[in-house]
């Protein structure tokens, strides 16, 4: 089943021609309207007309998350605000948030691309889709919501959290498709088991999961706990949100929506393209976005392009699951967290260079993070009250900063050092 068969099954040459035309239009747009890109292109002595083939893309500069932050909030917008109909932002509060915008056309494309992903995952207008992502600045809930409405399904904007209520809604409203993070699906499955609710009490058939890493083992577990077919879908707010790629029911890789995104895979050290099929960092250029075009955005996600055709008939390239990151970002309970955010909080509270380590575990389906803060030995001889006050202050500021609560423990500085004297900022013990 396809949503836009003429696009999803486009012949290779035709696709390349379309990509090139759209790339040229995008480059003209950013050169004319975004001073940041114009300056970068000028510095490199490139003008949009120099890009006459898709391989010329390698001559263009990369864009990184820091560029978005430096231009906070609207500096990279290519359209005036009167043309912008929606604004979203990535997680992270002060200084870390990156803001993205959409015109009416962008919204139309976005819902169509998510509609493709949803359709490929087996869902139709006859389904009742429960969106268990948090609504808000995050692109996940609204993105999937709009796509689901676009195909004409019945959408339940349940939002995230409150698992028992979530299950009650599923039962009463006869939800057939669940949308959320894979770890939340695990938690729902666990809760069903704990409460002795059989899956036969639900009407679930499909689950569309994304926004954080997961594994084949987790897929099997979710499928058996919830009695569904589970598919993976991928996206990131800087480039659009969900709708960049998604699995079809063959479940052998995530089909890119290549008529809207030009994808490259590079070696994160040398920045040169890796050989087809090798693991590397995904780099994406948007081809149709008006409000917030992105040129060669370094996603920091490690993937592989999969070889061979998919029996489903879609012709675009497919990516593997996300295999890891090329930076130190971790996703805790669906929220993207950068160690620097924790470091900033600790500096603000303690002054000086903090020593810390973030330890992430998974307890059942729940992520649990503990920040170990290296303290001077003197504090351990101090009153308990002073230690507790310190811990409470750090906890409160961290939740404010990253939007996720963590445990905080004071430890002696030396316990955080490896033998080379350095501290590893993140220890991720989760077995996905
Ligand atoms: O998570 C967009 C999204 C929402 C995708 C809902 C799919 C479903 P951000 O909050 O900006 O956007 O986080 C983007 O999350 O760079 C990846 O590291 C990670 N990520 C997203 N999808 C997957 C996935 C949304 N399917 C960051 N598997 C990305 C693994 C994923 N990691």
């Amino acid at each position: 089943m396809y949503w836009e068969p003429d696009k999803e099954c486009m012949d290779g040459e035709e696709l390349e021609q379309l990509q090139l035309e759209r790339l040229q239009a995008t480059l003209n747009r950013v050169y004319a309207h975004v001073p940041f890109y114009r300056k970068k292109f000028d510095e490199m002595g490139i003008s949009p007309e120099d890009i006459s083939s898709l391989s010329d893309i390698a001559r263009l500069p990369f864009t990184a998350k820091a560029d978005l932050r430096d231009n906070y909030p609207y500096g990279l917008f290519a359209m005036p605000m009167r043309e912008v109909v929606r604004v979203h932002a990535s997680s992270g509060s002060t200084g870390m948030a990156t803001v993205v915008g959409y015109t009416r056309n962008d919204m139309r494309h976005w819902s169509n691309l998510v509609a493709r992903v949803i359709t490929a995952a087996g869902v139709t207008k006859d389904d009742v889709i429960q969106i268990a992502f948090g609504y808000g600045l995050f692109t996940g809930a609204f993105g999937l919501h709009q796509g689901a409405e676009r195909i004409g399904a019945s959408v339940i904007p349940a939002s995230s959290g409150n698992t028992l209520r979530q299950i009650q809604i599923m039962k009463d409203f006869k939800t057939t498709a669940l949308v959320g993070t894979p770890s939340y699906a695990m938690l729902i499955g666990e809760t069903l088991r704990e409460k002795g609710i059989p899956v036969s009490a639900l009407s679930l058939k499909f689950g569309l999961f994304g926004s954080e890493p997961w594994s084949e083992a987790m897929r099997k577990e979710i499928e058996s706990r919830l009695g569904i077919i589970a598919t993976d879908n991928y996206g990131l707010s800087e480039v659009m949100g969900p709708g960049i790629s998604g699995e079809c029911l063959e479940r052998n890789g995530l089909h890119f929506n290549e008529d809207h995104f030009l994808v490259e895979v590079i070696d994160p050290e040398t920045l040169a393209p890796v050989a087809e099929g090798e693991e590397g960092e995904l780099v994406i250029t948007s081809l149709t976005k008006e409000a917030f075009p992105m040129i060669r955005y370094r996603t920091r996600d490690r993937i592989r392009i999969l070889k061979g055709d998919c029996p489903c008939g879609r012709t675009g390239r497919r990516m593997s699951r996300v295999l890891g990151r090329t930076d130190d970002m971790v996703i805790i309970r669906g929220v993207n967290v950068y160690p620097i955010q924790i470091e900033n909080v600790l500096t603000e509270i303690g002054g000086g260079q903090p020593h810390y380590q973030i330890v992430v575990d998974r307890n059942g389906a729940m992520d649990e993070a503990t920040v170990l803060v290296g303290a001077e030995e003197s504090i351990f001889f101090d009153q308990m009250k002073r230690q507790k006050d310190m811990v409470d202050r750090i906890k409160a500021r961290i939740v404010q900063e990253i939007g996720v609560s963590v445990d905080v423990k004071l430890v002696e500085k030396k316990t955080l050092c490896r033998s080379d004297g350095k501290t590893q900022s993140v220890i991720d013990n989760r077995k996905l």
Side-chain angles (χ1 to χ4, degrees):
M1 253 186 329
Y2 311 112
W3 178 247
E4 292 177 297
D6 53 326
K7 308 282 172 23
E8 293 170 71
C9 306
M10 202 182 259
D11 153 84
E13 260 178 45
E14 200 190 336
L15 174 68
E16 285 187 8
Q17 186 54 36
L18 180 68
Q19 285 182 317
L20 182 59
E21 283 164 18
R22 289 180 163 180
L23 175 65
Q24 284 165 334
T26 300
L27 295 176
N28 282 320
R29 184 175 306 128
V30 299
Y31 192 77
H33 300 296
V34 188
F36 164 82
Y37 285 116
R38 177 196 286 261
K39 183 160 172 276
K40 265 192 163 181
F41 288 12
D42 285 350
E43 276 167 10
M44 294 175 84
I46 301 168
S47 84
E49 299 82 73
D50 298 336
I51 306 301
S52 55
S53 73
L54 288 176
S55 57
D56 284 340
I57 186 130
R59 299 172 56 192
L60 296 171
F62 290 102
T63 307
K65 185 153 181 104
D67 297 320
L68 273 70
R69 286 203 299 271
D70 293 348
N71 289 282
Y72 176 89
Y74 298 140
L76 295 185
F77 280 33
M79 284 288 200
M81 283 309 276
R82 65 172 181 279
E83 301 295 335
V84 172
V85 298
R86 175 76 68 76
V87 172
H88 279 282
S90 70
S91 45
S93 59
T94 44
M96 294 302 289
T98 48
V99 180
V100 299
Y102 307 77
T103 61
R104 229 173 257 293
N105 278 335
D106 292 335
M107 292 303 290
R108 198 166 44 81
H109 285 141
W110 190 14
S111 57
N112 257 328
L113 296 182
V114 176
R116 286 187 197 174
V117 167
I118 295 178
T119 306
V123 173
T124 69
K125 68 195 283 290
D126 297 328
D127 281 290
V128 178
I129 307 187
Q130 186 161 331
I131 312 281
F133 277 126
Y135 281 74
L137 288 176
F138 174 56
T139 53
F142 280 97
L144 268 304
H145 181 123
Q146 292 145 194
E149 255 183 26
R150 183 82 186 86
I151 68 164
S154 316
V155 188
I156 307 173
S159 203
S160 56
N162 203 341
T163 310
L164 286 177
R165 182 162 170 272
Q166 207 74 250
I167 293 172
Q168 191 68 44
I169 294 174
M170 260 182 230
K171 262 166 86 177
D172 295 352
F173 298 3
K174 304 202 172 11
T175 303
T176 58
L178 176 67
V179 168
T181 60
S183 57
Y184 195 57
M186 291 278 276
L187 183 66
I188 292 177
E190 227 166 58
T191 311
L192 286 176
R193 193 175 291 178
E194 263 168 36
K195 299 286 169 197
I197 305 171
V199 284
S200 58
L202 307 178
S203 311
L204 278 184
K205 290 190 295 194
F206 299 106
L208 280 76
F209 305 115
S211 182
E212 65 177 14
W214 54 316
S215 61
E216 275 312 306
M218 269 180 84
R219 177 179 351 235
K220 289 211 172 69
E221 189 72 34
I222 292 171
E223 291 191 330
S224 85
R225 285 186 191 191
L226 296 180
I228 55 172
I229 297 175
T231 49
D232 190 6
N233 69 90
Y234 168 85
L236 66 165
S237 38
E238 293 88 337
V239 177
M240 186 176 75
I244 290 171
S245 65
E247 282 181 328
C248 66
L249 290 174
E250 301 288 337
R251 293 180 296 168
N252 56 5
L254 290 77
H255 293 271
F256 278 114
N257 283 319
E258 285 193 284
D259 49 335
H260 292 261
F261 303 103
L262 192 61
V263 300
E264 303 169 77
V265 184
I266 63 161
D267 178 321
E269 303 296 325
T270 64
L271 306 182
V274 299
E276 183 86 13
E278 293 293 307
E279 187 175 326
E281 181 180 322
L282 174 65
V283 171
I284 308 180
T285 300
S286 71
L287 296 176
T288 50
K289 284 177 69 196
E290 295 178 338
F292 197 77
M294 260 295 130
I295 307 299
R296 302 192 88 196
Y297 185 68
R298 291 192 59 183
T299 65
R300 297 291 186 169
D301 290 317
R302 301 187 78 98
I303 62 141
R304 276 185 306 116
I305 297 288
L306 302 182
K307 291 197 171 137
D309 295 331
C310 183
C312 77
R314 287 178 183 77
T315 46
R317 285 185 296 171
R318 286 166 293 133
M319 66 179 231
S320 64
R321 291 181 170 285
V322 172
L323 305 165
R325 296 276 302 174
T326 64
D327 65 4
D328 54 8
M329 183 188 92
V330 276
I331 305 184
I332 303 171
R333 271 174 265 144
V335 177
N336 302 350
V337 176
Y338 291 86
I340 186 79
Q341 293 173 281
I342 307 277
E343 189 167 324
N344 289 343
V345 167
L346 296 174
T347 310
E348 177 195 303
I349 291 180
Q353 180 63 35
H355 291 251
Y356 69 98
Q357 186 166 65
I358 308 163
V359 184
V360 194
D361 286 289
R362 189 159 277 180
N363 181 0
M366 276 298 259
D367 290 338
E368 282 177 359
T370 307
V371 178
L372 304 176
V373 183
E376 296 302 338
E377 274 172 48
S378 60
I379 196 164
F380 295 99
F381 299 109
D382 240 325
Q383 312 145 357
M384 289 297 281
K385 166 104 178 52
R386 217 186 114 212
Q387 282 183 44
K388 186 170 177 308
D389 285 350
M390 173 86 139
V391 165
D392 288 347
R393 262 180 72 208
I394 296 175
K395 270 192 195 166
R397 270 295 290 124
I398 289 179
V399 73
Q400 204 180 22
E401 177 66 27
I402 66 174
V404 140
S405 61
V406 300
D407 201 8
V408 171
K409 288 201 176 103
L410 298 182
V411 297
E412 283 181 42
K413 261 187 193 166
K414 59 175 184 272
T415 62
L416 292 180
C417 291
R418 290 190 311 215
S419 51
D420 61 4
K422 285 194 203 135
T423 301
Q424 200 175 333
S425 57
V426 180
I427 307 272
D428 195 341
N429 293 324
R430 287 174 293 192
K431 306 249 178 315
L432 298 183

